[in-house]
């Protein structure tokens, strides 16, 4: 399964959520903009998991568990998790109105203004410091421009998508359902059996800054 399964108008969780549009798809799932009927059709983001194996399901549930307890001004907030009969699992997150850094870069082929970049990177660093010192530690493992959204209302950077995050002991081997890498951003250890840790996020953020 590699294509979005939901079309505009689809209903989820006893008609609470109404899909408005497909936003993007990746190797692990699809992301949609939706309306939450419980909160006066407030916009939200719903992530649909493509994984059906036990490892994939465990990883998706871990992502929900991680994000549901993290609280930081530069991290996306999870608001709900559920499963539908004969359908994938779903994760509901706050909608960050704005655009990701990958989209912003398209308007600046020569590079973004240095002052803006340093401000955004410092904000993401603050979020990562919080994650890395959380108990147990949370390693994002997928820092890249498309996973940093710039909020339209205040211009702040918000780190999103913990789909291949690693929680707990950094020396522990990575869960099969969480393995993945992005060329140009992921560190060498993420392509091998070497353990990933907070240093892996720092490397990827450095590559994003560059």
């Amino acid at each position: 399964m590699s294509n979005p399964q939901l079309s505009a108008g689809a209903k989820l969780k006893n008609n609470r959520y109404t899909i408005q549009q497909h936003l993007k798809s990746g190797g692990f799932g699809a992301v949609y903009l939706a309306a939450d009927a419980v909160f006066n059709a407030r916009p939200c983001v719903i992530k649909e998991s493509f994984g059906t194996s036990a490892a994939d399901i465990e990883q998706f549930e871990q992502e929900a568990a991680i994000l549901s307890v993290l609280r930081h001004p530069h991290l996306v907030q999870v608001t709900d998790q559920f499963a539908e009969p004969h359908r994938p699992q779903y994760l509901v997150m706050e909608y960050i109105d704005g655009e990701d850094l990958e989209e912003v870069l398209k308007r600046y082929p020569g590079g973004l203004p240095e002052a803006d970049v340093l401000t955004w990177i410092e904000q993401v660093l603050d979020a990562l410091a919080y994650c890395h010192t959380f108990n147990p530690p949370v390693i994002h493992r997928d820092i890249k421009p498309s996973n940093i959204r710039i909020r339209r209302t205040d211009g702040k950077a918000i780190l999103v998508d913990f789909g291949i995050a690693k929680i707990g002991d950094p020396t522990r081997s990575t869960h099969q359902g969480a393995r993945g890498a992005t060329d140009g951003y992921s560190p060498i250890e993420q392509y091998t059996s070497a353990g990933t840790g907070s240093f892996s996020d720092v490397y990827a953020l450095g590559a994003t800054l560059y």
Side-chain angles (χ1 to χ4, degrees), residues 22 39 66 84 89 92 101 103 111 128 147 160 165 199 205:
H22 169 250
F39 295 102
I66 291 171
E84 297 277 274
Q89 291 183 301
V92 184
L101 277 180
E103 296 170 325
L128 285 178
N147 282 340
V160 302
F199 48 85
L205 187 61

Side-chain angles (χ1 to χ4, degrees), residues 16-17 19 26 40-41 43 51 53 58 76 79 83 99 109 120 130 138 167 176 197:
R16 173 174 177 175
Y17 302 108
I19 299 299
N40 299 314
S53 70
E58 183 178 345
V76 68
T79 58
E99 55 187 347
W120 292 330
Y130 168 79
V138 177
I167 184 169
Q176 182 66 39

Side-chain angles (χ1 to χ4, degrees), residues 47-58:
K47 182 177 180 180
E48 173 188 49
S49 173
F50 289 160
T52 57
S53 70
D56 291 333
I57 292 172
E58 183 178 345

